Amino acid sequence: DFGIPEDQIYLNTKVGDMFGGTMLETADQIADFANRVARVAPHIVVIDTIGNTSSHGHYSTEDAMKRYKPLAEIARKMSIAIFCVVHTNAQGKALGRRGEGQVRVVLQLAEPDPENQPNRLRLWVAKTNVSATKPVLGVTRGTYGNEYDNDPPELKSNDERPSRSTGNSGGAKRGPVPAAAI
């Protein structure tokens, strides 16, 4: 529906094992993934979800390093962006928040008012190694793509902390973390 040509999308799998390629735990699995990425030479790789790529836990720094360090090395060596999608827990916080410490950029996407504005999202940079602050954006979902604007819907939760990316204390709030970029 987004108009992306099918010949521009590749899955991390082998023809003989169409549902394989989802694990990135062993050295062989990571090497196979790196070889396929090198062969295709993409600009962007999306891992959806990073939590389903290994049996490593979600809550220790050591397990986060096991998940993200090999991917960071591949991204650096091949000069590509690797986006790792992360789901949230019942409290709306990222599963495996230790992973945030292992990545360069964290993008957060929230649906603050699903009943009155079901197609409106709020997108912001919650963590970045780049010194420039980034604006908070409004996103309107559509069948053929998204539209972005500078009028994001407000978050309503009282327990969310201010984001470091807004440049002010009253701006965006922390919320669900759906994607982290290495």
Side-chain angles (χ1 to χ4, degrees):
D1 288 346
F2 288 118
I4 300 170
E6 287 185 23
D7 65 346
Q8 296 298 308
I9 298 174
Y10 296 88
L11 301 177
N12 183 42
T13 188
K14 298 175 182 176
V15 174
D17 184 12
M18 293 305 292
F19 296 101
T22 60
M23 297 301 288
L24 298 172
E25 186 167 25
T26 68
D28 287 344
Q29 291 165 339
I30 293 166
D32 285 346
F33 172 71
N35 289 335
R36 284 192 286 280
V37 170
R39 190 169 45 252
V40 172
H43 296 283
I44 299 171
V45 171
V46 178
I47 299 175
D48 184 4
T49 68
I50 189 66
N52 287 327
T53 63
S54 78
S55 61
H56 300 306
H58 290 284
Y59 302 102
S60 76
T61 301
E62 295 79 18
D63 283 341
M65 286 181 65
K66 289 175 187 175
R67 280 185 200 274
Y68 292 100
K69 190 171 188 286
L71 299 174
E73 291 171 359
I74 292 167
R76 188 173 45 254
K77 286 177 186 174
M78 297 185 191
S79 296
I80 60 170
I82 298 179
F83 287 87
C84 299
V85 177
V86 178
H87 285 260
T88 56
N89 61 21
Q91 292 76 37
K93 304 298 180 188
L95 288 175
R97 291 185 55 89
R98 297 285 183 222
E100 287 185 35
Q102 301 298 317
V103 300
R104 296 180 57 101
V105 177
V106 175
L107 302 175
Q108 292 186 232
L109 185 66
E111 184 180 39
D113 191 6
E115 290 165 19
N116 293 324
Q117 292 184 307
N119 293 323
R120 289 288 288 162
L121 305 171
R122 181 181 180 94
L123 175 66
W124 68 100
V125 177
K127 172 193 170 185
T128 180
N129 286 353
V130 179
S131 62
T133 58
K134 307 295 181 204
V136 178
L137 297 175
V139 181
T140 302
R141 290 185 285 209
T143 301
Y144 299 104
N146 297 329
E147 293 183 21
Y148 299 86
D149 59 63
N150 292 316
D151 187 26
E154 290 297 318
L155 293 173
K156 297 177 182 177
S157 177
N158 292 331
D159 66 346
E160 295 166 336
R161 299 172 304 201
S163 169
R164 291 175 282 164
S165 67
T166 63
N168 65 53
S169 60
K173 309 290 183 186
R174 291 183 73 95
V177 182
I182 295 178

